[in-house]
Amino acid sequence: MKRHLFYSIIFLLVSGLMLNSCNKESFELNRLSDEIELQSSLVAPLIYGSMMVGDIVELVDSADSFYEFDDGLIYLAYMDTLVEIMADTMVEVPNKLVTEIYIDSDVNIPVWIDSSPGDTVPFYKSELFSFTLEGDDRVDSVLIKGGEIILDVMSSFKHTGVLTISSSQILDVDRDTFSTVVEISDLSGNFTDQQIFLSDGYSMQSTEIDDTSYIQLNFKLDLINSGNPIDPDDVCEILTSFENLDFYSVFGYIDSRDLIDESGSVDIPIFTDNPDLATLIFADPRINIYTASSVGIPFEITFDSVIATADDGSTEKLEFYEGHPFVIAAPDMENIGSTVDDEININKETSNFNELLAIAPSTLSYKVTGRTDPGSGDESHFLLDTSKFMLAMEFLLPLDFKSSGFALQETFDFEVGADGVDTTILKEARVSVTTLNELPIEMEIQVYLLDSNRTVIDSVFEGDAIILGASLVDDRGILTQAVEETTVTTFPVEKLGKLQEVFYMQFEARMITSELGGKFVKIYSDYSLDFKLSMYANFRINSRELN
């Protein structure tokens, strides 16, 4: 709009200079004085239209950071995801669980001693193996994803038989109790066998004994008396291994542990581009912390260090007055698989956020630490392989503010041309600006003429010219009445003569909110600024000067 304004002025002035206001066929020149002076005036609109708040926002928004609330209030926001972790990094099922079972001297029992060749004698043994994660975790059940159950059997008995291995706490993919049979068919005492079960889809349910989780394995050895003796060192050895285990789900109690340690920074380019924004005092600035958790464990999040840094190197650390560290909600056992969203507001009441904004920060660095927080008394936790925890931070400035010193400045190219402007017949030029303003902002505007070295030659207006009056607002800072105003500015003829030396024009505006910056005002998207700019030019043509 600014370029069009001045180009239109120049175009109209040059066009006026080309007007021929003297028709010689209408006069008998020999009856008139040889010096005739004619005067003519021209009034014409240069530009007019309506500019919405969105157009004004573009003046300061170089990063596409302005948005709109549901009620139309404009706000500035920058958001970044700070933390995103999956459940499989929070809790790891032990990669390898191994237990060794020996059936040895138990065989020398009266039943065996009294048996005859060909008789089958059963022997029983049970073993508990620990199924723990870490710390004081308690595992109630695990649904296994991937992994293997490996059974290695070795028998030095010189007898054949059948070994049955089972556990009511291990269920296969069909939810049947795990059970397998090993045929001991070698009488030499050198029998070995291995069985491997792909355990994807298997589930294990543990038993808690003295705060430790166990799974019981049951062994039944049906040994067939071959007539050979049993030596004292004869044994049936069973090595049970659970390897490469991962999980679809884990249920139980997950003890408190450190899980999050993230550092980084968020850019705030609007303050870099417009450091004078630091002069704005916002009514409700805030940092919003958004969390989304499908992890069935509460979290406690700590911001160890949030530091704002300005372009000049100055810094300000965010200090919390209350509510910190933050406790993050989690889904309970009745909402397995769902995501719980949470929002935490850091504002000028709970922190020194206003002091942070006062330095016009260009970056916001942070360090976030977090740990599970089972201290709520609920000891029923869960993790799914799809569970994750996400934390994002939003830097939010609703345009509900007051200011008495925010300034805009922009320089743009300008060139009249080699022929310059003929000012000999121009007697006077005036520019009229009429506005109907819904914005609760008063604006003082000045335009400077700059030469090729960007040195100021002159200003367009004499002093600071207020061409926009602020609209009227109520106690909530909401528009009650638009203000219509007309400002007429004389454009001295001698300044037109300087336009040939002008290569740049510098536009400066100082914005003051209602009541001289003493009242908070709100900026809504449907506010507009209607304007009409007209020029009045008075010409003087002398016949002697035309010859």
Side-chain angles (χ1 to χ4, degrees):
M1 185 186 81
K2 301 189 290 291
R3 277 196 187 92
H4 295 163
L5 167 61
F6 286 98
Y7 286 166
S8 299
I9 292 174
I10 299 305
F11 174 79
L12 189 57
L13 290 175
V14 173
S15 299
L17 298 180
M18 297 175 62
L19 293 176
N20 184 357
S21 298
C22 177
N23 186 338
K24 293 184 179 181
E25 294 182 357
S26 302
F27 298 93
E28 295 182 23
L29 295 178
N30 60 354
R31 299 180 60 186
L32 299 175
S33 166
D34 62 355
E35 181 177 334
I36 302 175
E37 182 174 290
L38 302 178
Q39 294 194 39
S40 178
S41 62
L42 173 67
V43 179
L46 297 181
I47 54 174
Y48 58 90
S50 180
M51 184 166 59
M52 302 296 290
V53 162
D55 300 318
I56 298 173
V57 163
E58 290 179 0
L59 294 175
V60 295
D61 186 18
S62 60
D64 297 325
S65 304
F66 282 87
Y67 305 91
E68 183 178 335
F69 286 124
D70 291 340
D71 62 358
L73 182 67
I74 300 296
Y75 66 95
L76 167 68
Y78 297 97
M79 178 178 284
D80 198 6
T81 298
L82 308 187
V83 176
E84 188 167 6
I85 55 176
M86 297 298 296
D88 57 2
T89 65
M90 301 178 191
V91 172
E92 294 185 8
V93 174
N95 185 51
K96 187 171 185 177
L97 296 171
V98 179
T99 184
E100 287 185 288
I101 303 298
Y102 297 95
I103 302 177
D104 43 26
S105 59
D106 295 342
V107 172
N108 293 304
I109 58 176
V111 176
W112 174 260
I113 295 173
D114 294 338
S115 67
S116 301
D119 290 347
T120 299
V121 179
F123 302 92
Y124 300 93
K125 192 167 187 178
S126 294
E127 190 76 17
L128 296 175
F129 75 92
S130 174
F131 189 80
T132 58
L133 300 181
E134 62 178 277
D136 293 328
D137 292 347
R138 183 194 74 245
V139 180
D140 295 336
S141 66
V142 175
L143 180 59
I144 297 173
K145 178 172 67 174
E148 302 167 332
I149 300 176
I150 303 174
L151 300 176
D152 289 292
V153 178
M154 183 277 292
S155 176
S156 62
F157 294 113
K158 297 178 179 64
H159 306 271
T160 59
V162 177
L163 175 65
T164 302
I165 305 171
S166 65
S167 175
S168 62
Q169 292 176 270
I170 301 177
L171 304 179
D172 63 19
V173 293
D174 297 320
R175 296 298 176 264
D176 294 327
T177 297
F178 173 76
S179 180
T180 187
V181 173
V182 178
E183 298 282 349
I184 302 175
S185 56
D186 189 350
L187 293 173
S188 67
N190 296 311
F191 174 81
T192 60
D193 185 58
Q194 184 182 74
Q195 293 187 7
I196 299 176
F197 301 89
L198 299 178
S199 54
D200 190 355
Y202 279 54
S203 64
M204 293 189 288
Q205 297 177 332
S206 65
T207 301
E208 185 178 4
I209 302 176
D210 295 331
D211 296 326
T212 301
S213 299
Y214 293 95
I215 290 179
Q216 179 174 304
L217 288 175
N218 301 313
F219 303 91
K220 179 187 178 186
L221 176 60
D222 293 311
L223 203 59
I224 302 172
N225 192 335
S226 65
N228 292 321
I230 293 180
D231 296 328
D233 58 351
D234 282 346
V235 66
C236 179
E237 179 184 357
I238 305 104
L239 184 66
T240 307
S241 303
F242 297 82
E243 297 188 3
N244 303 314
L245 298 182
D246 200 354
F247 65 86
Y248 288 112
S249 63
V250 175
F251 291 86
Y253 171 80
I254 307 301
D255 194 21
S256 183
R257 68 192 65 188
D258 294 327
L259 291 176
I260 300 170
D261 189 355
E262 299 284 344
S263 299
S265 65
V266 179
D267 290 332
I268 311 174
I270 189 168
F271 283 108
T272 300
D273 298 337
N274 302 275
D276 281 347
L277 279 174
T279 64
L280 271 58
I281 301 174
F282 292 92
D284 186 26
R286 55 189 183 268
I287 294 176
N288 292 327
I289 304 296
Y290 297 104
T291 61
S293 179
S294 55
V295 178
I297 315 171
F299 273 79
E300 183 180 85
I301 300 297
T302 301
F303 282 84
D304 287 335
S305 182
V306 179
I307 299 176
T309 303
D311 278 346
D312 62 5
S314 58
T315 61
E316 182 72 31
K317 183 177 180 180
L318 185 64
E319 302 288 349
F320 298 98
Y321 302 151
E322 60 183 53
H324 184 258
F326 307 117
V327 177
I328 309 300
D332 56 26
M333 296 295 290
E334 296 181 357
N335 295 283
I336 297 172
S338 64
T339 298
V340 173
D341 297 319
D342 204 356
E343 178 179 341
I344 299 166
N345 301 128
I346 303 170
N347 53 48
K348 64 182 183 180
E349 303 299 328
T350 61
S351 70
N352 63 332
F353 192 38
N354 270 355
E355 285 81 355
L356 185 144
L357 291 178
I359 69 169
S362 57
T363 61
L364 199 66
S365 61
Y366 62 87
K367 180 180 180 183
V368 183
T369 58
R371 58 188 293 109
T372 53
D373 179 39
S376 60
D378 183 1
E379 295 191 356
S380 298
H381 301 155
F382 69 86
L383 288 172
L384 308 180
D385 64 324
T386 56
S387 296
K388 66 179 180 179
F389 176 81
M390 185 276 293
L391 182 148
M393 181 173 71
E394 180 184 45
F395 189 92
L396 184 68
L397 300 176
L399 292 192
D400 180 359
F401 64 94
K402 62 183 179 180
S403 174
S404 60
F406 176 59
L408 292 173
Q409 185 181 94
E410 184 176 350
T411 301
F412 53 90
D413 296 338
F414 180 87
E415 186 175 357
V416 173
D419 296 333
V421 178
D422 185 358
T423 61
T424 58
I425 63 172
L426 185 63
K427 184 177 181 180
E428 183 184 33
R430 292 196 303 272
V431 176
S432 171
V433 180
T434 299
T435 59
L436 180 63
N437 185 22
E438 292 184 342
L439 300 176
I441 298 173
E442 184 180 87
M443 188 174 292
E444 297 179 0
I445 294 178
Q446 182 59 275
V447 181
Y448 295 98
L449 309 177
L450 311 181
D451 63 16
S452 59
N453 296 319
R454 297 182 181 262
T455 301
V456 176
I457 300 173
D458 207 337
S459 61
V460 172
F461 306 116
E462 298 295 334
D464 292 330
I466 299 175
I467 65 168
L468 289 182
S471 64
L472 304 181
V473 295
D474 59 19
D475 292 338
R476 297 171 299 164
I478 298 176
L479 172 71
T480 59
Q481 181 180 336
V483 170
E484 184 172 5
E485 187 171 298
T486 298
T487 301
V488 178
T489 301
T490 299
F491 200 83
V493 175
E494 59 270 17
K495 290 189 179 183
L496 290 175
K498 297 179 181 180
L499 291 180
Q500 190 172 356
E501 306 172 35
V502 176
F503 286 78
Y504 305 98
M505 284 195 176
Q506 180 174 296
F507 174 89
E508 292 186 3
R510 190 166 75 96
M511 296 166 50
I512 305 172
T513 53
S514 294
E515 297 184 8
L516 299 178
K519 176 179 285 189
F520 285 106
V521 300
K522 294 179 172 65
I523 305 298
Y524 289 90
S525 60
D526 59 353
Y527 285 1
S528 66
L529 169 64
D530 298 334
F531 56 90
K532 181 174 69 174
L533 188 147
S534 303
M535 191 199 76
Y536 169 84
N538 190 6
F539 301 96
R540 176 180 61 82
I541 304 176
N542 190 295
S543 61
R544 180 173 295 176
E545 294 173 350
L546 291 176
N547 292 330

